Amino acid sequence: GESVGLHLPTLSVQEGDNSIINCAYSNSASDYFIWYKQESGKGPQFIIDIRSNMDKRQGQRVTVLLNKTVKHLSLQIAATQPGDSAVYFCAEEEAAGNKLTFGGGTRVLVKP
Amino acid sequence: SQTIHQWPATLVQPVGSPLSLECTVEGTSNPNLYWYRQAAGRGLQLLFYSVGIGQISSEVPQNLSASRPQDRQFILSSKKLLLSDSGFYLCAWELGAGYTFGSGTRLTVV
């Protein structure tokens, strides 16, 4: 079936550097994408979302890029901080769909 | 503001015992509601979703069932738990603008 996947299961980054987390999706009918952050023992927290009519969206220290041609999604975190250490999930939803499909997750470890 | 409540936070149950996990939402009406399960170190798997009272869609065959007796209440149940039912169970709601997750229930079946 359709799926969302991630290229890197673990990303180690130096504090203050920028982080880039990548995600590939295969469902061309998906039109809504979300990045979530999950800290240990907690539920996922919304970070940023993007719809398929956009290719870039910026938040506070985070940017999501969407390349529909190659079905690729990325999350950029500027000036990574220790509090950014967590597992990050991308998720997709089909147009007129009612359910979110998650990728496998990338663990980000911030080194002091 | 909208909030979502899940309880209990942790649960240890013997194999063969029943299960009932409850999720309630406040501050919204007629949301879509979801139950996800997360195995240790893995992604989230959608188990059930509901678009309205009494309407349940099951995503994967399993030992669990779900019910939505009220608009803002979503219940996950099992008559007899299996070891493989262990995991982190997350409830979420959605109303056209992103999904909001509860804090989860860590279930350990022993």
Side-chain angles (χ1 to χ4, degrees):
Chain A
E2 304 286 4
S3 64
V4 178
L6 294 173
H7 298 306
L8 299 174
T10 304
L11 175 67
S12 293
V13 59
Q14 202 69 37
E15 182 179 355
D17 288 352
N18 296 336
S19 303
I20 300 177
I21 307 166
N22 297 301
C23 180
Y25 66 96
S26 56
N27 186 355
S28 55
S30 294
D31 75 335
Y32 181 53
F33 304 88
I34 311 175
W35 280 101
Y36 284 93
K37 172 186 179 183
Q38 187 178 27
E39 296 174 316
S40 181
K42 297 182 179 179
Q45 290 179 287
F46 173 93
I47 301 174
I48 192 168
D49 60 358
I50 189 167
R51 295 208 174 266
S52 58
N53 60 349
M54 302 175 69
D55 53 22
K56 180 179 180 179
R57 192 158 187 237
Q58 288 183 291
Q60 187 177 16
R61 282 201 308 117
V62 294
T63 300
V64 54
L65 299 176
L66 175 63
N67 186 329
K68 296 179 288 293
T69 303
V70 295
K71 297 189 182 69
H72 185 266
L73 189 69
S74 68
L75 177 70
Q76 300 177 2
I77 305 174
T80 312
Q81 301 169 359
D84 294 327
S85 292
V87 177
Y88 291 80
F89 293 95
C90 63
E92 59 162 342
E93 184 180 60
E94 284 187 27
N98 285 320
K99 51 189 180 180
L100 208 57
T101 301
F102 281 80
T106 294
R107 182 174 300 280
V108 173
L109 300 174
V110 182
K111 297 178 288 185
Chain B
S1 63
Q2 300 92 352
T3 56
I4 181 168
H5 302 281
Q6 261 189 266
W7 68 92
T10 59
L11 189 61
V12 179
Q13 291 284 107
V15 169
S17 64
L19 173 74
S20 181
L21 301 180
E22 188 162 345
C23 172
T24 60
V25 180
E26 295 178 0
T28 185
S29 294
N30 198 32
N32 292 335
L33 296 173
Y34 304 83
W35 277 111
Y36 282 86
R37 177 171 59 201
Q38 186 175 31
R42 304 292 295 274
L44 283 75
Q45 179 187 36
L46 179 63
L47 302 176
F48 300 95
Y49 70 94
S50 171
V51 300
I53 296 173
Q55 300 178 62
I56 308 294
S57 296
S58 175
E59 286 298 296
V60 293
Q62 59 199 304
N63 184 43
L64 302 167
S65 62
S67 61
R68 185 170 178 176
Q70 301 179 46
D71 180 44
R72 286 170 281 184
Q73 184 184 31
F74 204 23
I75 299 171
L76 184 70
S77 305
S78 174
K79 292 182 179 178
K80 290 185 178 182
L81 284 169
L82 306 172
L83 288 173
S84 57
D85 292 324
S86 294
F88 191 44
Y89 288 83
L90 290 154
C91 179
W93 72 271
E94 182 264 341
L95 197 61
Y99 290 60
T100 301
F101 285 83
S103 55
T105 295
R106 172 121 4 239
L107 171 66
T108 304
V109 183
V110 297

